[in-house]
Amino acid sequence: MRAQASKGPRRRRLRSFNPGNAVFLVGFMGAGKSSVGRALGQLLSWDFEDLDDRIERREGRSVAEIFREAGELGFRRAEHGALRQVLEDLPSTARVIALGGGAFVQEKNAMLLKSSGVATVFLDAPVDELWKRCSRQANDTGAERPLLGSREQFKKLYETRRKTYKKASIMIQTGNRAVDAIAAEIIETLELKKIELRVQEGEVE
Ligand code: S3P
């Protein structure tokens, strides 16, 4: 199940848009983008959002249905539209956003993120571990990943995409590590600040 962007008392308005208000998590299927994103959001008291959730809300159907009914091209169009909307929303909230595994490898998405000046974090792990995580999840939860394919197809797609993921602002290894430790490393590396501290420092109302 995917997490919803959290709402409620923790949400604060920022005085102005600052690219430091947003972190985008990128990486292959099974990299832990959603679980690390949720932990990061909690540690920082920032909102968390999964881009695939926004796509599903906007389209009124699941990612798997979009793939079935509109093909990968239709999904990529929907994904790009949702990403543009997220970036337009950013001025008002501090947010961690997990992107689907193919979003950052679409050149126009990577360019949009780059020109917005936001931080991108490539979460990586050995491909065998990524495969194990995805196949375990499929068995345990029935999670449908349209591009999972066979083990060989999965590995090949990972190898093709990895050089593009490496263009992210930073790269973090997630293999065999606890989600909180990964989130803490992102905070330290990007020098991200908790919302309370930003209130004290007058960055946030
Ligand atoms: C995709 C990964 C999926 C989802 C869609 C396409 C991909 O997200 O966006 O099925 O191209 O790798 P996760 O990376 O969260 O599985």
Side-chain angles (χ1 to χ4, degrees), residues 20 36 94 158:
V36 170
Y158 168 79

Side-chain angles (χ1 to χ4, degrees), residues 79-143:
E79 184 176 57
H80 182 68
L83 179 62
R84 292 196 85 90
Q85 193 185 47
V86 167
L87 288 164
E88 280 160 18
D89 281 357
L90 282 183
S92 60
T93 53
R95 185 168 293 190
V96 180
I97 300 106
L99 298 187
F104 193 65
V105 294
Q106 306 301 311
E107 204 179 337
K108 58 182 180 178
N109 293 340
M111 278 168 57
L112 196 57
L113 289 161
K114 193 162 184 214
S115 62
S116 306
V118 294
T120 47
V121 178
F122 169 27
L123 298 181
D124 197 21
V127 67
D128 287 331
E129 184 165 338
L130 296 173
W131 172 258
K132 265 188 216 148
R133 290 180 195 165
C134 289
S135 26
R136 198 182 313 129
Q137 216 183 358
N139 285 334
D140 294 353
T141 66

Side-chain angles (χ1 to χ4, degrees), residues 2 27-31 33-34 50 52 55 63-64 67 72 75-76 79 99-103 105-106 134 144-147 157 161 165:
R2 296 184 182 280
F28 205 55
M29 293 174 266
K33 301 176 297 282
S34 301
D50 188 315
D52 281 345
I55 297 169
V63 167
F67 267 83
E72 179 168 356
F75 174 75
R76 297 298 169 205
E79 184 176 57
L99 298 187
V105 294
Q106 306 301 311
C134 289
E144 245 189 296
R145 281 192 162 99
L147 294 183
L157 188 59
R161 286 178 172 180
Y165 295 140

